[in-house]
Amino acid sequence: KAPFTGVPGTDKERTFIAIKPDGVQRGLIAAIIARFENKGFKLVALKMLWPTKEKAESHYADLATKPFFKGLVAYFSSGPIVAMVWEGKDAIKTGRVLLGATNPAAAVPGTIRGDLAISVGRNICHGSDGPESAVHEIANWFAPEEVSDYPRSLDEWIVSDN
Ligand code: IDP
Ligand code: MG
């Protein structure tokens, strides 16, 4: 059985994806989930929660020295978010591709931010940027029993290298 944070580099790679408070307020939950679901990734955990300032700070700990950190923590804890774990081959890297560039002004059309957002301070979604942050973020927001390890009969129609 895979550790609940996933196994990077395998079909069990897992990434933490969140719909930020602005994405929830704007009614974009279903639209954002659909991008990941339609792509073929497997949803293994999902919940709505209102982040405390402390949890937002630990989530973004690596950005603590940035000038925008205080505002970022206020933004991320300003309302409920939808926290998710998505699984699949290259889920971390490809998840970032689906989100688009951090600044929506630079995000290409076809990406979530490129299609649905304008401003870097209101870019509607979050995705882990590498294997270490995926492990840290999944463990920051989820308990092991909240992540479901399950087979999908469709998997052989979604993943093959030959
Ligand atoms: P990412 O979300 O694409 O991984 P990071 O550099 O990790 O981008 O930054 C985390 C979040 O901080 C961004 O998604 C965005 O909401 C916010 N942010 C990043 N840069 C700026 C900035 O220059 N001004 C305001 N907010 C920023
Ligand atoms: Mg980041």
Side-chain angles (χ1 to χ4, degrees):
K1 194 163 173 284
F4 83 105
T5 49
V7 186
T10 73
D11 289 351
K12 291 265 177 213
E13 183 166 305
R14 290 175 181 169
T15 187
F16 176 74
I17 301 292
I19 303 170
K20 293 176 174 178
D22 48 338
V24 172
Q25 291 294 326
R26 291 179 55 196
L28 296 172
I29 296 170
I32 293 169
I33 289 176
R35 303 286 179 117
F36 284 84
E37 211 172 29
N38 292 344
K39 179 74 172 165
F41 289 123
K42 187 194 294 185
L43 183 62
V44 294
L46 172 137
K47 64 181 170 187
M48 174 177 267
L49 68 123
W50 191 324
T52 61
K53 190 169 164 282
E54 290 69 30
K55 289 286 271 190
E57 282 168 351
S58 60
H59 172 73
Y60 281 124
D62 57 328
L63 299 175
T65 59
K66 301 281 185 192
F68 57 83
F69 183 69
K70 206 161 173 265
L72 173 60
V73 168
Y75 161 44
F76 203 74
S77 56
S78 65
I81 67 166
V82 175
M84 298 174 278
V85 180
W86 288 89
E87 179 188 284
K89 190 173 191 292
D90 296 320
I92 298 169
K93 197 162 170 246
T94 307
R96 298 280 299 186
V97 175
L98 295 182
L99 298 190
T102 300
N103 187 342
V108 296
T111 65
I112 292 166
R113 287 163 173 166
D115 286 347
L116 304 172
I118 292 173
S119 174
V120 70
R122 295 290 184 269
N123 60 1
I124 73 171
C125 50
H126 169 85
S128 306
D129 68 3
E132 297 83 18
S133 55
V135 169
H136 166 253
E137 292 168 6
I138 292 168
N140 189 55
W141 297 106
F142 287 98
E145 64 272 18
E146 292 178 308
V147 181
S148 295
D149 201 35
Y150 64 101
R152 259 187 336 188
S153 58
L154 206 56
D155 284 343
E156 64 181 290
W157 296 103
I158 296 174
V159 180
S160 176
D161 287 325
N162 51 53

